[in-house]
Amino acid sequence: MNITGRLTRDAEVRTTSNEKQVVNFSVATNDSYRNKQGERVEQTTYFDCAYWISAKVARLLTKGTLVELTGRVSTRAWVSKDGEARAGLNFHTSNIKLHGGSRRTETTQATAQDDNNKVTAQGTDDDLPF
């Protein structure tokens, strides 16, 4: 299964009792549809994700980063401290594809590109024939 969404928090690396490292993070996916009344309905689904292949990827997985994940889904159920039944989705990630950084990183990149464009524009003014 493939899902595409944004990280809702920075990734955390955890070490299990048998010394294996796992990267844990959460992703929100958005979907929309029109109901019978023709109204647009937005739906957000949250996945708790685990990635076991390399812990080094954790530094790239920051809140707001857009990612495309490949893996499998499983469900879990528990009883909250309030005694209410809860359920959630786990995504066992086998492949991570980054589609840009967090909004903070995108802003930094856009600023750098603007600066580079200004330098380029100044450099081309000297090359104009008129």
Side-chain angles (χ1 to χ4, degrees):
M1 176 176 192
N2 291 331
I3 62 171
T4 302
R6 290 202 180 267
L7 271 71
T8 62
R9 59 183 166 88
D10 291 349
E12 299 172 347
V13 177
R14 197 175 50 99
T15 304
T16 64
S17 58
N18 59 355
E19 300 302 314
K20 288 191 174 188
Q21 289 188 317
V22 59
V23 179
N24 292 314
F25 54 98
S26 178
V27 171
T29 62
N30 295 316
D31 191 21
S32 64
Y33 62 92
R34 295 208 181 270
N35 63 16
K36 290 181 181 180
Q37 293 77 26
E39 300 165 330
R40 186 176 182 91
V41 177
E42 297 284 333
Q43 183 176 7
T44 302
T45 304
Y46 297 93
F47 294 88
D48 289 324
C49 303
Y51 183 72
W52 294 86
I53 298 171
S54 173
K56 292 179 182 180
V57 74
R59 62 185 171 83
L60 301 173
L61 299 175
T62 58
K63 182 177 180 177
T65 301
L66 181 64
V67 293
E68 180 180 344
L69 307 175
T70 303
R72 63 182 174 84
V73 176
S74 67
T75 58
R76 70 180 189 291
W78 71 96
V79 177
S80 70
K81 293 178 183 178
D82 301 339
E84 291 186 42
R86 301 277 185 177
L89 296 171
N90 291 331
F91 196 81
H92 305 277
T93 308
S94 59
N95 189 26
I96 300 172
K97 184 175 180 182
L98 300 173
H99 287 284
S102 67
R103 291 185 177 116
R104 181 174 55 236
T105 304
E106 289 171 0
T107 302
T108 303
Q109 290 172 347
T111 303
Q113 286 175 351
D114 287 346
D115 292 342
N116 288 339
N117 289 342
K118 290 176 186 172
V119 171
T120 303
Q122 290 172 352
T124 58
D125 284 345
D126 295 336
D127 298 333
L128 295 176
F130 38 57

